[in-house]
Amino acid sequence: MRRGDVRVAILALLTEQPMHGYQLMQAITERGNGRWTPSPGAIYPAISQLEDEGLVTVTAQSGRKLAALTEAGREAAQTQVDQAGDLFADEGPHAGGPDLRSLLGQLHDATRQVARGGTDDQIVAAAEILDDARRSMYLLLAGEMSDGHE
């Protein structure tokens, strides 16, 4: 995502209801189908900046900070969201293609299972598989795959 997209996404989500930072991170991740997962280091500074600009108010609620749009924030949200379009749409050159992020997550989960419960031989074999996969990805980018995937 582009640098200003976190800000616009926060404004868009807050038009629906006030949210905590963690709720905003979850909503962005869910609406983007996992393609975009902003970190606390992106969300909380953006909320602070929006508060400094008078576009949101932040109040303590149950020990957490709840962000809500001000009237100026509602106006800014409408303008910026209209200009940005649907930040959560599946667009771009790879729209509709395989979800590499999801596949990588599944590989990560399988690797963790091997690391936790595998035998020494299985762990060594898993390391070789991962090393081969990394090498194959770079060969793919270089256009040097020899198995017909060029």
Side-chain angles (χ1 to χ4, degrees), residues 36 38 74 104:
W36 181 20
R74 288 196 180 287
L104 184 59

Side-chain angles (χ1 to χ4, degrees), residues 23-45:
Q23 289 173 303
L24 288 164
M25 287 185 283
Q26 282 186 311
I28 291 169
T29 300
E30 288 170 9
R31 300 231 181 139
N33 293 319
R35 291 183 314 276
W36 181 20
T37 55
S39 68
I43 292 290
Y44 292 106

Side-chain angles (χ1 to χ4, degrees), residues 116-145:
R116 287 183 179 157
T119 65
D120 289 344
D121 288 342
Q122 289 172 327
I123 291 171
V124 168
E128 290 175 11
I129 290 168
L130 292 173
D131 193 46
D132 288 345
R134 177 193 52 79
R135 197 173 305 114
S136 293
M137 294 298 268
Y138 283 117
L139 288 172
L140 175 69
L141 285 172
E144 298 177 17
M145 291 297 292

Side-chain angles (χ1 to χ4, degrees), residues 86-111:
D86 186 359
L87 294 173
F88 307 110
D90 190 8
E91 297 176 348
H94 307 292
D99 183 357
L100 296 180
R101 185 180 195 107
S102 175
L103 291 168
L104 184 59
Q106 292 172 32
L107 176 62
H108 181 259
D109 291 343
T111 303

